[in-house]
Structures are given as C-alpha cells and as structure tokens.
Amino acid sequence: METKIVKINPLRPDGAKIRRAAEIIKRGRLVAFPTETVYGLGADALNRRAVKKIFRAKGRPADDPLIVHIASREDLFKIAVNIPPEAGILAKKFWPGPLTLIFKKRKIVSGEVTAGLNTVAVRMPDHAIALRLIKAAGTPVAAPSANLFGKSSPTRAEHVIKDLDGKIEMILDGGPTKIGVESTVLDLTVSPPVILRPGGLTLEKIKKFLPEVKLFFSNSAPSAKHSPSKSPGMRYRHYAPGARLILIEGTVEKTIKKARELFSQYRKQGKNAVIIATKETAKFYPAAARVLTAGSRKKISTVAKNLYKIIREADKAEVEVILAEGFNRQGLGEAIMNRLERAASKIEKV
Ligand code: TXA
Ligand code: MG
C-alpha cells in the first residue's frame, strides 16, 4: 500500500485534510497523527477489524491494550462505566492533556481494544489535529504510539515513516510533538488510584488533586518481566534500541566519571560507543567521543522532548554501545528514567 504523507499545520489544521483523514478512519483503515505527547496510530475504536489492523501494522502482541482517544469529555460516558468522582476533577483539570485514565469498560468497547480486559484506557489529547480528526471521524479513536513494536515512540513524522511506511493509509505530518514522552496512565478502578505508567503529566501535579495516588511500576528492572500484570504494556522491554544501552545512575559528577571510564574501556576494545549527555555535561567528554545532547538539566522538559529522537539517532548500525546519563526523578524525570530503564540492557549505579 502507498502511504499518503500529508503536511498539516498543527495550530490551524486545514479542514479538507482533516476530512480526508477522517474518511480513512471511517472506512476502517489506519491514520497516524500527532498528539502533544507522541504520534499515534489511529483506527475506529468501535470497529474490531480496524483495531486488529493496528496490531498487525505494528507487530504488537494482542495482549497489550490500546488507549481510546476522545475529543470531548462527554464522550467518556459512551465507553466507560462506574466513573468515580475523582475522574471528573482530573478530567476538568488535565483534559485535554497527557493523562490516560482507566475505567471499567462499556460493552461497546471490544476485547480487541482492551486485550480482553474489562477495563478501558481513555484520554483526550491536547492537540488541534488529534481533536479535529477524532471529531470529524465521529467515533472514538483507538491509538497506540505509531512505532513498530519494541521501538521508541515517534515524536516526528520521519520516525513514523521509518517504521510504518507502506503499512498504513496516511500519516498526518504536524511537525515535532511538544512533550516527547507518552501520557501518564492512571488506574481509577482501584483504591487508592495507581499510576501504571509515569508520563507527560507529573506525579506532583496529580497529587495536588489526588493526594492518595501511588506509583505502581517496576523502577529498576531492565527487562520488564517483573512488572505488574495490571499494566500489560509494561511487561515488554520497550523503547529499545538495537545497540546495547547502558544507563548510568547517580550524582551528575559520578555519572560523568563513569561514562568517561566506560567510553575509554569500550574504545580500547575497538567498540563504537555514543554518549547521551546534556547541555551541562557534554563538555566533559573527550573530543573524540560522539556526544549527543538530549537537552538541559535545568529544563528537564527539553530532555523529555528530545529523548526518543536522540535514542533513534544514537542507534545507528555502526554503534555498538550507547552510554546514557541518568536524571533525578523529580517531575518529568520520573518518566524519562522509566523509559531509559526500559531501553537499557544494563544499569550502572554509581
Ligand atoms: O501519549 C500516549 O499515551 C500515546 C498517544 C498516541 O496518545 N499513546 C500510547 O499508547 O503511548 P501505547 O499503546 O503505546 O501505550 C498504552 C499503554 C500501554 O502500556 C498499555 O498497556 C496501557 O497503556 N493500557 C491500555 N489499556 C489499559 C488497561 N485497560 N489497563 C491497563 N493498562 C492499559
Ligand atoms: Mg507504545
């Protein structure tokens, strides 16, 4: 199939282009589109055959459920039941935005979407293209990140093209995404509510409205096999580059020291290593080292925004090892560290 790549203004999307994309969704086919977090691969959430195509295009295991995207808060009532009062508060405060909420599902949502679970993940994305596309399609849109299974989520249309060209009908190219890591997944079917995946909305912000919220995921497992089965997607080693990624965790000073040590060790072995550093730390590495700068430690949102692009850049055929600096877990640091840990073959604590 020939994938149509359509450039579209992210702030004032052209109505005719949105309608073309919406027609594809209505016909039960797939469209990749930008959200504020990462690009999604969308299908009509109420059409099982369409939803199955998502799994096929991505090579995604059928036991990993999808997020259903809506364009207005009221649409939540069409797909979920037993909606607790906290949901109203969170949706009012954080939707549209990088927060996915888990509820008990209505029958209308098929087991293909929820991987057989009786719960459904729902989010209202904060992006004009996504919202208008969902509205024009006239149906909730099931959409995982628009990458091949096991690869980093796409934050630019180029990433989607690399992974899915020829496998889907259309890619709406609305430029780079703003946040760069996926939404925070919060389970409201349990008490206290738990965060199954840290993401674009920080724990600190959620806590202001939901003080009892807990983090519930594996922090340190480089292979996700210890992760809770509550969060099916977290079982898989994800966001994974082909090169071996070594994550270094500790104070900034010790992290730099360790990265320098490992770099020269690998060089002696004749191995090609790349360092993922930051604006503040890049200058401490030898001139001969290939250093990629993810962003600034003083503005962690810049690291989140660039993270997946940098991992994709580091992961070139000739690169054998990626040495990645760690971050502290405040704010978006939690999501960044979660993704780095899940991409890592090894974690060096210093
Ligand atoms: O920012 C995002 O969330 C992006 C954009 C496109 O919206 N989407 C995204 O989808 O990251 P995906 O499929 O790559 O990740 C969805 C995560 C997975 O970890 C999945 O296991 C979890 O949400 N999930 C979905 N439904 C669930 C459910 N009913 N119970 C528990 N976890 C669920
Ligand atoms: Mg994904």
Side-chain angles (χ1 to χ4, degrees):
M1 142 183 5
E2 198 199 323
T3 302
K4 293 168 213 75
I5 299 162
V6 178
K7 279 219 189 308
I8 179 166
N9 186 310
L11 302 173
R12 273 168 284 102
D14 181 281
K17 292 175 182 172
I18 291 286
R19 282 191 296 279
R20 269 176 69 202
E23 277 310 312
I24 295 173
I25 300 273
K26 284 187 193 170
R27 290 206 321 268
R29 294 163 185 230
L30 309 183
V31 176
F33 60 94
T35 77
E36 79 282 32
T37 56
V38 301
Y39 274 74
L41 178 59
D44 179 350
L46 305 181
N47 176 341
R48 290 167 190 260
R49 287 182 54 202
V51 169
K52 278 193 181 159
K53 290 179 187 163
I54 292 180
F55 289 88
R56 224 172 298 142
K58 283 190 55 129
R60 177 176 174 119
D63 65 352
D64 190 0
L66 306 177
I67 297 171
V68 177
H69 295 69
I70 56 177
S72 74
R73 294 185 186 81
E74 297 74 61
D75 287 348
L76 173 59
F77 301 98
K78 295 182 193 157
I79 51 182
V81 287
N82 295 358
I83 297 165
E86 301 93 289
I89 297 167
L90 294 170
K92 183 159 178 243
K93 196 65 208 167
F94 298 118
W95 278 1
L99 174 66
T100 294
L101 299 173
I102 312 270
F103 302 99
K104 187 144 190 286
K105 77 171 186 78
R106 272 192 195 280
K107 280 216 180 72
I108 190 174
V109 183
S110 70
E112 273 78 13
V113 173
T114 66
L117 299 175
N118 62 1
T119 56
V120 61
V122 187
R123 117 171 167 94
M124 183 175 169
D126 186 17
H127 196 294
I129 295 173
L131 290 173
R132 285 182 203 184
L133 174 64
I134 300 162
K135 242 182 215 136
T139 179
V141 171
S145 50
N147 51 282
L148 285 176
F149 175 68
K151 293 272 186 272
S152 297
S153 291
T155 53
R156 294 164 181 253
E158 300 90 270
H159 301 161
V160 184
I161 294 168
K162 176 122 200 294
D163 281 11
L164 296 175
D165 193 23
K167 295 184 165 170
I168 62 179
E169 290 279 317
M170 184 181 276
I171 298 169
L172 290 173
D173 177 357
T177 60
K178 202 172 71 193
I179 295 178
V181 290
E182 303 85 345
S183 63
T184 301
V185 178
L186 174 61
D187 188 352
L188 291 178
T189 67
V190 291
S191 179
V194 291
I195 292 177
L196 299 177
R197 177 178 75 178
L201 183 66
T202 64
L203 172 69
E204 291 88 338
K205 283 189 184 155
I206 296 173
K207 266 203 167 141
K208 281 196 189 144
F209 300 89
L210 203 63
E212 69 274 27
V213 67
K214 294 272 176 304
L215 286 176
F216 186 70
F217 52 85
S218 164
N219 262 343
S220 55
S223 97
K225 62 174 178 285
H226 306 297
S227 297
S229 59
K230 274 293 290 177
S231 178
M234 303 295 275
R235 264 203 305 278
Y236 301 103
R237 181 166 169 255
H238 241 218
Y239 319 103
R244 184 176 156 75
L245 189 145
I246 300 176
L247 172 62
I248 307 166
E249 261 195 84
T251 62
V252 177
E253 222 166 75
K254 285 185 179 161
T255 297
I256 296 168
K257 188 160 169 268
K258 188 73 188 177
R260 288 174 57 108
E261 252 171 57
L262 289 174
F263 180 78
S264 62
Q265 195 181 306
Y266 281 116
R267 196 153 61 166
K268 272 185 208 133
Q269 294 170 18
K271 286 199 175 138
N272 209 340
V274 168
I275 302 169
I276 298 183
T278 54
K279 217 173 136 199
E280 291 78 14
T281 58
K283 57 177 174 285
F284 295 106
Y285 297 107
R290 225 182 114 217
V291 181
L292 298 172
T293 302
S296 167
R297 288 178 179 273
K298 293 193 187 114
K299 200 169 178 220
I300 195 76
S301 62
T302 59
V303 175
K305 188 178 158 106
N306 293 322
L307 184 69
Y308 289 142
K309 177 176 71 112
I310 294 289
I311 290 180
R312 280 181 184 250
E313 266 171 38
D315 193 25
K316 294 278 143 70
E318 71 279 7
V319 174
E320 283 145 290
V321 183
I322 301 170
L323 302 169
E325 295 180 357
F327 296 87
N328 78 42
R329 292 178 180 274
Q330 271 155 28
L332 282 171
E334 186 73 60
I336 293 166
M337 285 304 280
N338 172 273
R339 305 306 189 271
L340 282 171
E341 283 168 351
R342 296 175 64 211
S345 309
K346 190 175 177 200
I347 298 173
E348 290 270 2
K349 301 217 184 209
V350 289

